Amino acid sequence: MKNLFLAGILVFSLSAAQAQTKSKSSKKKSESAYAKINADSQDRLNSLRTDALEADSMRILEDSLAAVVLDSTRTAWKMNKTNEIDSINQVNFTNLAQTREKQRNMERNWQIIYKSAKLNPANWQQVSYLNSDFENKVTATNQDEMLAAEAKSAKLEELKKERKTKLNNLVGKSATKRLDKEQKKFNEKNPGVFTETETLVEIQ
């Protein structure tokens, strides 16, 4: 009887040991499966994170490239615009310089005539203003497309008579005649100095 009891205890102990062994084995398998799942999840998470970082890097690179292209385009436009403005300014400056030089040359020519005609220097500025006003009116008349050829000729003759009257009142008839004579002499010695329009300045 005692032996039977001991045998039962032994069987129970073996069963318990086997159950514990199976439990430990099952627990290890569960822990291994969990670790594998956790590792797979971590790998997936790392892969997604890497993909997101690569996508962000590509987006940043594309944005940077777009910004560089935009900046280059803007810089090129500014340079072209600056060159265009510089070119226009250079043309305007050249035209203005030529116009002023022409005016200075014309003024010097008139001063030669004034001296030859023994005109009072005090009247030079007034006569120069009168000549300038006359030349502007002559130019405007020649450029008036509404006037026929005969009407232009009549208008120019009228302007010349008007100028002669003003000169007579300003410096006197004697000085006006001397101006007329000296300008004709100047034109003979310096052909081409006065243009076709400017030769109409002659007092007749």
Side-chain angles (χ1 to χ4, degrees):
M1 186 71 179
K2 184 178 179 181
N3 291 334
L4 184 61
F5 179 75
L6 292 174
I9 292 175
L10 179 61
V11 170
F12 178 79
S13 297
L14 290 173
S15 298
Q18 289 177 350
Q20 186 175 5
T21 300
K22 287 182 180 180
S23 176
K24 288 182 179 180
S25 176
S26 177
K27 183 177 180 181
K28 287 182 178 179
K29 288 182 179 179
S30 298
E31 289 177 351
S32 177
Y34 176 78
K36 187 175 184 308
I37 293 172
N38 187 43
D40 290 343
S41 298
Q42 189 65 37
D43 289 342
R44 179 60 179 166
L45 182 62
N46 290 337
S47 177
L48 291 174
R49 185 178 297 135
T50 300
D51 291 343
L53 289 174
E54 289 179 353
D56 286 342
S57 298
M58 289 299 298
R59 179 182 58 78
I60 292 173
L61 179 60
E62 290 175 356
D63 290 345
S64 299
L65 290 175
V68 170
V69 171
L70 179 61
D71 186 62
S72 299
T73 303
R74 185 176 299 152
T75 300
W77 180 85
K78 286 182 179 178
M79 290 181 64
N80 289 335
K81 201 67 178 175
T82 299
N83 292 335
E84 180 182 345
I85 293 173
D86 287 343
S87 178
I88 293 173
N89 288 341
Q90 182 61 40
V91 170
N92 291 339
F93 176 79
T94 300
N95 291 338
L96 181 60
Q98 291 175 347
T99 299
R100 288 181 176 174
E101 182 62 22
K102 180 180 177 182
Q103 290 173 342
R104 284 192 292 267
N105 288 336
M106 186 59 63
E107 185 62 27
R108 284 193 289 266
N109 292 334
W110 274 113
Q111 287 180 5
I112 292 172
I113 296 172
Y114 297 157
K115 289 180 180 179
S116 299
K118 295 181 173 55
L119 189 68
N120 187 342
N123 296 128
W124 285 13
Q125 186 173 359
Q126 293 171 299
V127 174
S128 294
Y129 174 78
L130 196 154
N131 285 333
S132 177
D133 181 61
F134 171 76
E135 290 164 10
N136 290 337
K137 289 179 179 178
V138 168
T139 300
T141 300
N142 284 327
Q143 293 177 349
D144 189 349
E145 297 180 356
M146 300 299 293
L147 288 177
E150 292 183 1
K152 282 186 180 181
S153 297
K155 179 66 175 177
L156 292 174
E157 287 299 323
E158 181 182 340
L159 289 173
K160 290 165 71 174
K161 290 178 180 179
E162 177 186 330
R163 175 176 176 274
K164 185 173 182 178
T165 299
K166 290 181 178 180
L167 274 174
N168 285 336
N169 294 334
L170 180 62
V171 298
K173 291 183 179 181
S174 177
T176 298
K177 288 181 180 180
R178 290 198 304 272
L179 280 172
D180 183 19
K181 179 181 177 181
E182 292 303 325
Q183 186 184 16
K184 289 179 180 179
K185 286 170 61 177
F186 181 89
N187 289 341
E188 290 173 358
K189 293 179 180 179
N190 304 278
V193 171
F194 288 98
T195 64
E196 182 179 355
T197 299
E198 290 159 348
T199 54
L200 294 174
V201 174
E202 293 183 17
I203 307 167
Q204 298 176 354

